[in-house]
Every structure is written in C-alpha cells, then in structure tokens.
C-alpha cells in the first residue's frame, strides 16, 4: 500500500473563516444549508456528519468529500467515512478489498472504496493512532497477510513514537506470533520478525514499556543460545531505560498542547495563537535533544514533532516553512521540497510558501521550475509583493531584460500594481543594475501614474532614496 496524494485540502475557493454569515452564527437552518452559508461553521458540519452517517453510503459521499476538502487533517472524519464505506461493503457481501457490486460500481469510483479512503486519509493523518487501528482492523477482515504485515510496518513507522501507539505495537507482535507463512511462532523466520519488532518497540517512548521489555526478555531467553540472549539484552537495556525516561519527559513537554484540535486557518484568536506558540516550543524542545539521542534517532523525533504540529496547524504557512527548514538543515532537500508542496496544497495562495519553494529550487539551480512557481502564484493570487519578488528572482536568475519584462507585465495589472512595485523596480535599477537615470525614469513614471500624493505615505527612507535618484 502506497500513500499517495489525495484530492482535497485546498482553500482556493473558500471564504475566510471569520466571514461567517449571521444565519450560521445563530445556528439557524439544517447543517447542509448552514455549511453552504459558511464552510467554516464547525457546529453545522458536526450536525451534518451526524445525519450523513445514518444515510445510505452513496447518499453521503458528496458531504463527506466536501467536509474533508475543508478539514483534511480531521482524522475522525476520515474514520467515519471509511468505516461507513466498509459497512456498506460488508452488507453487500464483498469479501475482498477490491470487490464491488455492479449495483454500486456505476455510482462510486475507486476513490471511495474503503481501502482507498483509508489510504487517502493517511496522507493527511499518518500520525493518528486511532485511524491506523481502524485501517488495520479493516485489513484483518479483508486483506491478505502480506498486506496486513505491510500496513503494520507503515503504522509503527508513522505513529510508533506516539505514546498511545502501544496497542498497535502489541497487535503487530501478536499478529506475527500467529505464524508467518502458515508456520508457528517457533519458526526461525517468525522469530527473526518478532525480534526485529520487539527491538523497535522497546526503544520507542510509548506506554507499557515495562511490559514490552518483560515479554522481550522472555522471548530471548526461550531461544537456543543463552549467551546471545544475555548479550543482546544487555545491549538493549540502557536504550529501553532511556525510552522510559523519554516517555515521561515528553508528557511534560506536551503540557498544554491540544493534539486533536481542528485545523482552522489563523483567525487571530488568543487560544489559537497560544497553541501555535506551544507547538513551536515543543518542537524546539525535541530538537534540543534532552535525551542525548544519536543523530538518526533525534531527527526521527523532530520530524515526528513537525508532522504532529502540521495536523493542527495545517493552514499556517509558517508551520510548513519551519518543517521544510528543518529538512534542509539535515540535508534532506527532497523532503524539504515535498513539505513545501504539501504546504502549498494546504494554503495555495500563500506567497511565503511559494517564495520558500523558489529559494529551495534556486539553491538546486532549477530555475525553470522556480519561474513556474511564480507563474502559478500570479495566476492564483497576484499582489505587489509577488511581482516584486518575481522581478528580483528574474534579475538574479535571468538578467536585466527578464526583470524588466516582469515589471512591464505588472504595470498592466491594474489591481496588483501599487507604488511599491515601482519603488522595487527603481531600486533594482539603481542598486543592482547601477543605472540611476533609468531608476529616476521609473520614479517619474510612477508619479505620473499615481500622482505625487500617492508616494507621500512611503516610508521616509524610501523618500530619501527617491531624492537621491532625482539628484543623480
């Protein structure tokens, strides 16, 4: 099972969350009507989901999809959707993940089959323990042993550092113990698999580590080589002890964090701003390496902390940028780029995310892709800042003529070309191209377009610069 990008999660066509209609705030009307009035009306969505779960599945698909397009990191919503699809699948008598009745095949495409819904969900909610449990439960009923083993491995890789993931670790061990390829727990292949999973579990900062350690000790001591058991247990005991300490201290580092908060865009609410600060504090705490972990283990903790934060801060551009910067810091440029693409999917009109992606692409001399990034942003959300940064990029990457073409294009955009664009173009000519006469011409052109009064509110340092242009 590969977790590819799913549809949904774009803000492109949604109003700002603070523009709630009076109807929505009063709670008037049914859920379906209220969410049309205000897509960010959380109470209305909860009422609508309550209705949808009791309908026939095919009648609820459109509402599930609308909800998850706005709240793609809300794991409970995905879980309701997938389990509803699974119930329908079971009631229709299907006994394999891929099978669908002809009656529904013409109504529902592959994207709403149970297993596909889970896969789509785990793109956005891969750290959510309850969602993984639901998916594994589904696979145990309908999937092959190979598919279940693969899903277990993905589950512990993605959420195995979560303190509450001990149940998944325990189920993984139990599933292997039932035999591999039809053989019993004493088979060497099975023992090797169990050893591998036990050793990962006892080093992870999860609940019930003492129980896992006792079981692992018993497992090794039952083997045919006492000396090997003694040596490997002595080697892993300090790591288990460290994991227990890490589990206890992480609980305090998370104090105050709301791990299952709904991912609204920034609304300026004090509690939301406080959560944003707490997430940054938590990530810095993990990065400080309080338990003196090796570099590879430390990076897993920090990446996991970022992924947890992005579930709650999905609509916050700075959260994506900080995650990308960490990947860049540990020299994982491919992952840094992937995070920025995910961020742009979440906040498609964010200039900051596009600028961060351009910088990363420029660092790798991928100039055409960087230019495409600017072009996409201008199509979605043109602004003075976008044109200014585009001019600067073109000057760096392609030279004087390319930057001037962007300035000429900006001047034709009546809505987005403000006096600041003229200021930036003139500064490029004056400071970078060393052409004060052209800089002065741009200033005069700006005065003609906006009148002198339009330039008077500019900061004093800009007026000084203009005076220097005029006297050049």
């Amino acid at each position: 099972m590969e977790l590819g990008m799913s549809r949904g999660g774009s803000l492109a066509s949604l109003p700002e969350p603070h523009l709630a209609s009076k109807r929505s705030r009063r709670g008037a009307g049914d859920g379906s009507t209220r969410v049309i009035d205000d897509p960010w009306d959380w109470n209305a969505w909860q009422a609508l989901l309550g209705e949808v779960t009791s309908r026939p599945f095919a009648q609820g698909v459109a509402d599930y999809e609308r909800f998850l397009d706005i709240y793609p990191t809300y794991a409970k919503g995905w879980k309701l959707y997938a389990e509803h699809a699974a119930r329908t699948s079971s009631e229709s008598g299907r006994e394999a993940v891929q099978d669908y009745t002809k009656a529904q095949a013409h109504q529902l495409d592959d994207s709403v089959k149970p297993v596909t819904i889970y896969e789509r969900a785990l793109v956005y909610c891969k750290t959510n323990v309850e969602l993984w449990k639901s998916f594994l439960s589904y696979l145990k009923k309908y999937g092959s042993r190979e598919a279940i083993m693969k899903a277990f491995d993905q589950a512990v890789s993605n959420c195995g550092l979560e303190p509450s993931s001990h149940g998944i670790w325990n189920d993984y061990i139990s599933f292997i113990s039932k035999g591999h390829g039809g053989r019993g727990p004493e088979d060497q292949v099975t023992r090797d698999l169990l050893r591998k999973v036990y050793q990962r579990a006892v080093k992870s900062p999860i609940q019930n580590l003492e129980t896992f350690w006792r079981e692992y000790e018993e497992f090794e001591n039952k083997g045919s080589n006492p000396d090997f058991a003694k040596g490997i247990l002595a080697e892993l005991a300090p790591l288990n002890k460290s994991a227990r300490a890490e589990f206890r201290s992480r609980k305090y580092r998370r104090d105050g964090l709301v791990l299952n908060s709904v991912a609204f865009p920034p609304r300026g609410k004090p509690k939301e701003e406080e959560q944003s600060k707490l997430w940054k504090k938590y990530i810095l705490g993990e990065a400080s390496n309080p338990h003196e972990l090796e570099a590879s283990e430390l990076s897993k903790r920090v990446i996991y902390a970022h992924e947890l934060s992005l579930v709650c801060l999905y609509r916050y551009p700075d959260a994506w940028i900080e995650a990308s910067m960490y990947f860049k810091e540990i020299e994982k440029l491919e992952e840094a780029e992937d995070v920025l693409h995910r961020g742009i999917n979440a906040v498609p009109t964010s200039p900051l995310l596009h600028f961060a992606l351009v910088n990363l692409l420029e660092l790798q001399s991928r100039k055409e892709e960087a230019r495409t990034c600017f072009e996409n942003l201008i199509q979605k959300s043109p602004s003075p800042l976008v044109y200014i940064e585009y001019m600067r990029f073109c000057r760096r990457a392609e030279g004087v003529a390319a930057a001037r073409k962007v300035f000429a294009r900006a001047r034709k955009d009546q809505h987005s070309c403000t006096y600041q664009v003229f200021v930036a173009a003139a500064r490029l000519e004056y400071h970078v191209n060393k052409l004060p006469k052209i800089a002065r011409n741009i200033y005069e052109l700006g005065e003609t377009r906006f009148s002198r009064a339009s330039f008077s509110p500019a900061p004093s340092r800009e007026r000084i610069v203009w005076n220097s242009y005029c006297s050049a």
Side-chain angles (χ1 to χ4, degrees):
M1 179 194 69
E2 298 298 330
L3 301 182
M5 283 302 296
S6 71
R7 64 192 183 191
S10 172
L11 276 174
S13 60
L14 296 176
E16 292 297 318
H18 60 275
L19 299 179
S21 66
K22 292 181 180 179
R23 179 189 184 105
S24 296
R25 289 194 294 270
R26 289 196 306 267
D30 64 357
S32 182
T33 303
R34 287 162 59 194
V35 299
I36 292 173
D37 289 344
D38 174 23
W40 298 105
D41 187 336
W42 178 250
N43 291 331
W45 275 116
Q46 292 302 289
L48 181 56
L49 285 180
E51 299 168 16
V52 168
T53 54
S54 62
R55 298 179 195 161
F57 178 68
Q59 294 178 18
V61 167
D63 287 322
Y64 280 125
E65 291 288 338
R66 279 197 301 155
F67 173 77
L68 292 166
D69 193 55
I70 301 171
Y71 302 104
T73 60
Y74 187 61
K76 186 177 179 180
W78 285 108
K79 185 170 177 284
L80 288 172
Y81 190 13
E83 290 178 352
H84 197 168
R87 287 196 303 274
T88 303
S89 174
S90 176
E91 290 163 4
S92 299
R94 286 187 288 272
E95 297 181 356
V97 171
Q98 293 81 10
D99 292 339
Y100 260 68
T101 63
K102 292 182 180 179
Q104 286 188 323
H106 71 283
Q107 300 178 33
L108 308 176
D109 61 29
D110 286 349
S111 66
V112 294
K113 290 181 180 179
V115 71
T116 313
I117 293 172
Y118 279 116
E119 289 175 351
R120 292 170 57 203
L122 291 166
V123 170
Y124 294 104
C125 312
K126 60 185 177 183
T127 60
N128 189 276
V129 172
E130 294 306 313
L131 185 60
W132 276 109
K133 284 181 178 179
S134 178
F135 182 41
L136 289 165
S137 176
Y138 175 77
L139 284 180
K140 286 178 186 177
K141 293 179 181 178
Y142 304 112
S144 66
R145 184 175 181 84
E146 181 182 1
I148 298 167
M149 287 289 291
K150 186 175 182 180
F152 265 121
D153 188 66
Q154 287 189 314
V156 296
S157 296
N158 283 290
C159 72
L161 290 174
E162 188 62 27
S164 61
S165 68
H166 60 288
I168 293 179
W169 284 104
N170 189 62
D171 288 348
Y172 192 7
I173 290 167
S174 297
F175 187 77
I176 297 172
S177 296
K178 292 177 181 177
H180 182 74
R183 296 179 290 271
E186 298 306 317
D187 178 83
Q188 190 58 47
V189 174
T190 303
R191 284 190 61 82
D192 290 343
L193 280 171
L194 280 170
R195 178 175 291 111
K196 181 180 178 181
V197 176
Y198 265 127
Q199 290 181 354
R200 291 173 67 185
V202 298
K203 293 186 292 184
S204 300
I206 57 177
Q207 294 177 27
N208 297 347
L209 270 177
E210 295 87 350
T211 301
F212 279 107
W213 181 252
R214 286 196 300 271
E215 290 178 1
Y216 179 53
E217 280 185 313
E218 183 179 352
F219 167 80
E220 291 293 3
N221 287 326
K222 281 184 176 180
S224 59
N225 189 335
D227 291 335
F228 173 81
K230 184 178 180 180
I232 197 67
L233 289 171
E235 181 182 333
L236 287 173
L239 297 177
N240 176 254
K241 184 178 179 181
S242 177
R244 295 185 198 186
E246 187 181 348
F247 166 74
R248 291 190 294 270
S249 64
R250 178 168 285 115
K251 183 178 179 181
Y252 292 106
R253 286 201 296 277
R254 287 184 172 186
D255 188 41
L257 281 175
V258 181
L259 298 174
N260 59 349
S261 62
V262 180
F264 289 104
R267 299 179 292 181
K269 293 188 175 183
K271 287 185 178 180
E272 292 176 355
E273 292 179 0
E274 180 187 10
Q275 282 297 302
S276 179
K277 291 177 182 177
L278 286 173
W279 276 114
K280 291 178 181 179
K281 181 181 177 182
Y282 172 59
I283 292 168
L284 286 173
E286 293 291 297
S288 69
N289 198 10
H291 301 285
E292 301 180 349
L293 300 169
E294 294 181 359
S296 61
E297 289 298 318
L298 174 62
S299 66
K300 289 178 184 177
R301 295 334 189 246
V302 179
I303 291 168
Y304 184 72
H306 276 293
E307 289 291 351
L308 277 178
S309 75
L310 291 172
V311 170
C312 301
L313 306 179
Y314 183 73
R315 306 296 189 183
Y316 284 64
D318 58 322
W320 293 101
I321 291 171
E322 288 170 9
S324 177
M325 287 174 62
Y326 177 72
F327 278 116
K328 185 178 175 183
E329 180 184 320
I330 60 175
E331 300 181 346
K332 292 188 175 184
L333 297 186
E334 185 176 342
E335 288 83 351
E337 181 181 344
D338 177 66
V339 165
L340 291 175
H341 281 296
R342 289 166 57 196
I344 290 171
N345 185 59
V347 197
T349 58
S350 167
L352 295 181
L353 283 166
H354 285 79
F355 298 160
L357 179 56
V358 165
N359 289 338
L360 189 61
L361 294 171
E362 236 188 311
L363 183 67
Q364 301 171 73
S365 301
R366 295 160 61 186
K367 296 176 183 178
E368 282 302 315
E369 292 174 70
R371 172 183 272 278
T372 299
C373 186
F374 270 116
E375 290 291 339
N376 291 339
L377 182 57
I378 285 177
Q379 292 297 318
K380 291 183 287 189
S381 184
S383 70
L385 180 60
V386 173
Y387 280 117
I388 289 168
E389 289 300 319
Y390 196 8
M391 281 193 298
R392 291 172 177 170
F393 162 76
C394 285
R395 179 61 184 87
R396 292 193 307 270
E398 301 173 22
V400 176
R404 288 175 179 170
K405 283 182 180 179
V406 174
F407 179 47
R409 179 179 172 184
R411 297 201 307 272
K412 296 176 183 178
D413 188 336
Q414 298 296 322
H415 299 289
S416 301
C417 188
T418 61
Y419 80 85
Q420 290 95 335
V421 178
F422 283 78
V423 171
R427 288 177 69 85
L428 270 180
E429 296 292 351
Y430 189 84
H431 293 289
V432 181
N433 300 342
K434 308 300 181 184
L435 295 170
K437 185 176 180 179
I438 293 179
R440 179 175 178 176
N441 290 342
I442 292 173
Y443 173 63
E444 291 174 347
L445 181 64
E447 279 192 328
T448 301
R449 178 165 176 168
F450 298 102
S451 79
R452 282 183 178 273
S454 297
F455 280 86
S456 61
S460 58
R461 67 183 179 86
E462 293 297 351
R463 291 201 298 272
I464 293 170
V465 171
W466 285 126
N467 289 336
S468 70
Y469 294 162
C470 293
S471 61

